[in-house]
Amino acid sequence: MTVTFTEKSQIETGFSEVFQDRIAPRLGDLEAERKTYLAKARRHVGIALAVGATFGVLFTLFGSGSDGVGALVAGFGVPLAFGGVAAFVLWNRQTGKWTGSAAQTVMPVVCDFVGDMSHDHEAHKGFALERMQKLGVVGSYTRAEISDRLEGRYRETDFELVEARLISQKSSSTSSDDDSGDRSSRTVFKGLLMRVAVPEPIPTRILIARDFGIGNKLGELLGGSSGRGMPKVDTGHPEFEQHFEVYAADPDVAHDVLAPGFLDNLLAIAKAEGGRHGVQGMQAGFHDDSFFMALRREGDFLKMGSLSTPMDEIEDDLHRIFDDIATIHRIIDRLHGD
């Protein structure tokens, strides 16, 4: 398998040689592994759909005997739909295994090349989600799915970043048994969560929140002593105030921290990285030794390999990975005032 890598951005400079030395020789093994996962996924999907169709036929033939289109849909369509859902879950399970395996091969090479950075696809070390929620940077959630944890140092600044999906799940049952009753869920956040170390601890909590207009008042009433319940801070920055509200336990300290230049840089980050959500795709805050940022994002972060894509097309995945890492560098550059 002959594959090359063409450098397209500054962060990729010099990687073509590394690719030829450390990744290209392993592509054959990776392709064989991909085909194994793909065959298993197809087999599982076929079994799930066949079982669903079989039960559909049996329910149609030996059901209650009701006539009409509704009975046909209930007898055949419903079991087949359950089979389709099972097939989707089984396919995604194999996709996840393959993506993790590919990442274990490729990401250490990328991290070594970039320098001062490590990657954990399963995010075993977790992330400071409780601190971010208490500060108000992310909303309340009952379940968190995090992956692709990056930890490193850039421009003498320590950082951590994860891809996250935060879910609020509520039960319609009044029973005290948490496992009973119907449950409904909604995604309260999907995107990137980032922690950047600050040179000196900030002696107050500061929240930089999206401006919800009249909805701000409700958040302030329900915020208690944290988040939007803290005193509001007037930054004196007209453009910033159009998009964000600032709250701090100590407004005087917040005024010193949130200098006009820093607010300009935050606006630049929000505009550049907010994606389809625009400027309000970002929320941020300070707590002690950390600056936290949440960036809403729809696409997958550090996506490595598709189950149906041959490994000789890996170059596109690598360009996207370098673009994602460059996002971190751009954010830290902005925070440094560049």
Side-chain angles (χ1 to χ4, degrees), residues 5 62 104 125-126 183 192 273 300 321:
F5 180 86
F62 304 105
Q104 287 178 359
K125 291 180 66 174
R183 288 182 177 270
L192 304 180
E273 314 298 343
D300 291 328
I321 287 170

Side-chain angles (χ1 to χ4, degrees), residues 248-265:
D250 188 331
D252 292 334
V253 173
H255 275 293
D256 294 335
V257 173
L258 302 178
F262 179 79
L263 296 180
D264 288 338
N265 293 335

Side-chain angles (χ1 to χ4, degrees), residues 32-47:
E33 187 175 354
R34 182 192 70 84
K35 289 180 178 178
T36 299
Y37 281 115
L38 178 60
K40 186 179 293 186
R42 286 172 172 170
R43 186 167 62 252
H44 289 178
V45 166
I47 292 172

Side-chain angles (χ1 to χ4, degrees), residues 154-155 261-262 264-266 268-269 329-338:
Y154 172 68
R155 294 188 61 171
F262 179 79
D264 288 338
N265 293 335
L266 276 186
I269 292 171
H329 289 183
R330 285 196 303 270
I331 290 172
I332 295 177
D333 286 338
R334 291 287 189 182
L335 294 176
H336 278 269
D338 295 347

